[in-house]
């Protein structure tokens, strides 16, 4: 009889090492993410790490379910910490945006208030209250002067002209100039111009210029101007030949201070 050879026993199978890397990583990232989030300054980085912890933790739990990993507690803790970090970071972001928006709104209001206060305390333009400008600040031809009540006086034109044959006040050998003044009534009441005047001085020496009375000029304002309306009136002046400039003093009415224009001829 033949003798059977005995079979050699199979070598023992080495146990498979658990794949716990994902769960461990999730736990570490979750802890770091939460710490960074609560520091506020680096909440955005904490939220990013928390998101990664959430992802790795879910993967780790999947491996535990398949029997490939054994650290269910670490994976679950990583998921929880990651979720808390993400939610906290999102809340801090929303709060920060609202805080910045509120600060910007408050700053805008404060700047508006400062601008209004500055405008209220700033010096007014020359003649803005009917006062004569200081030396070197005389108004120029075409400049308008607004009074407190909204009435605006403007010297719009100065030109040579020929007085009619019945004119009074024009001296032979002098030049005659016609001055056009516009009164725009921006106030809420009718303004009586009957006592308003326009006077002039000629040249650097300030020689008084004689008013010319003729068909085009009576030497003073006429009538009145209702609210929201305007009137244009002309005034004649006789000045020595060679005069290079006129300083015009305009007072629309008895209730208004005089304002001055320096007009080059």
């Amino acid at each position: 009889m033949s003798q059977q050879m005995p079979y050699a026993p199979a070598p023992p199978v080495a146990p498979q090492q658990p794949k716990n890397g994902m769960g461990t990583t999730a736990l570490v990232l979750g802890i770091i993410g939460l710490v960074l989030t609560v520091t506020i300054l680096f909440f955005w980085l904490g939220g990013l790490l928390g998101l990664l912890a959430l992802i790795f933790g879910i993967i780790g739990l999947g491996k535990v379910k398949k029997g490939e990993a054994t650290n269910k507690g670490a994976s679950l803790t990583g998921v929880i910490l990651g979720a808390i970090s993400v939610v906290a970071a999102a809340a801090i972001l929303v709060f920060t945006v609202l805080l910045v928006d509120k600060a910007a709104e408050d700053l805008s209001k404060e700047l508006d208030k400062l601008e209004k206060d500055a405008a209220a305390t700033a010096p007014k333009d020359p003649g803005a209250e009917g006062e004569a400008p200081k030396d070197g600040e005389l108004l120029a031809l075409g400049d308008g002067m607004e009074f407190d009540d909204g009435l605006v006086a403007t010297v719009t034109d100065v030109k040579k002209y020929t007085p009619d044959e019945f004119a009074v006040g024009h001296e032979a050998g002098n030049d005659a100039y016609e001055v056009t003044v516009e009164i725009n009534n921006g106030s809420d009441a009718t303004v009586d111009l009957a006592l308003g005047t326009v006077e002039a001085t000629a040249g650097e020496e300030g020689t008084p210029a004689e008013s010319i009375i003729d068909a085009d000029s009576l030497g003073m304002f006429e009538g009145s101007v209702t609210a929201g309306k305007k009137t244009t009136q002309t005034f004649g002046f006789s000045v020595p030949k060679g005069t290079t400039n006129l300083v015009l003093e305009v007072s629309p009415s008895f209730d208004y201070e005089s304002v001055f224009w320096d007009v080059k001829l």
Side-chain angles (χ1 to χ4, degrees), residues 15-40:
Q16 186 177 5
Q17 293 295 322
K19 299 177 180 180
N20 294 332
M22 288 293 181
T24 303
T25 302
L27 178 61
V28 173
L29 289 177
I31 294 173
I32 297 175
L34 185 59
V35 171
L36 290 176
T37 301
V38 297
T39 62
I40 306 300

Side-chain angles (χ1 to χ4, degrees), residues 99-121:
L99 188 64
V100 170
D101 185 64
K102 181 65 167 58
E105 183 180 350
D106 291 344
L107 179 61
S108 178
K109 290 181 179 179
E110 187 64 24
L111 290 176
D112 288 342
K113 182 177 181 299
L114 290 175
E115 185 177 349
K116 290 179 180 178
D117 291 344
T121 58

Side-chain angles (χ1 to χ4, degrees), residues 186-229:
S187 72
D188 55 4
T190 297
V191 175
D192 185 4
L193 303 176
L195 297 179
T197 60
V198 176
E199 299 179 359
T201 56
E204 297 298 330
E205 297 179 357
T207 304
E210 188 73 23
S211 292
I212 299 176
I213 309 298
D214 61 7
D216 296 322
S217 172
L218 295 178
M220 59 188 299
F221 284 105
E222 300 177 74
S224 60
V225 55
T226 56
K229 301 296 183 180

Side-chain angles (χ1 to χ4, degrees), residues 136-149:
E137 296 180 342
L138 302 179
L139 300 178
L141 182 67
D143 288 344
M145 201 294 300
E146 183 174 1
F147 292 87
D148 285 344
D149 62 356

Side-chain angles (χ1 to χ4, degrees), residues 160 173 175 177 203 239-245 265:
K160 276 187 178 183
D175 289 329
Y177 282 90
V239 302
K241 281 188 176 297
T243 299
T244 58
N245 73 295
L265 302 178

Side-chain angles (χ1 to χ4, degrees), residues 29 33 37 42-54 85-86 89:
L29 289 177
T37 301
F42 297 103
F43 75 90
W44 55 273
L45 182 56
L48 179 59
L49 294 180
L51 179 60
L52 292 176
L54 184 61
S85 298
V86 170

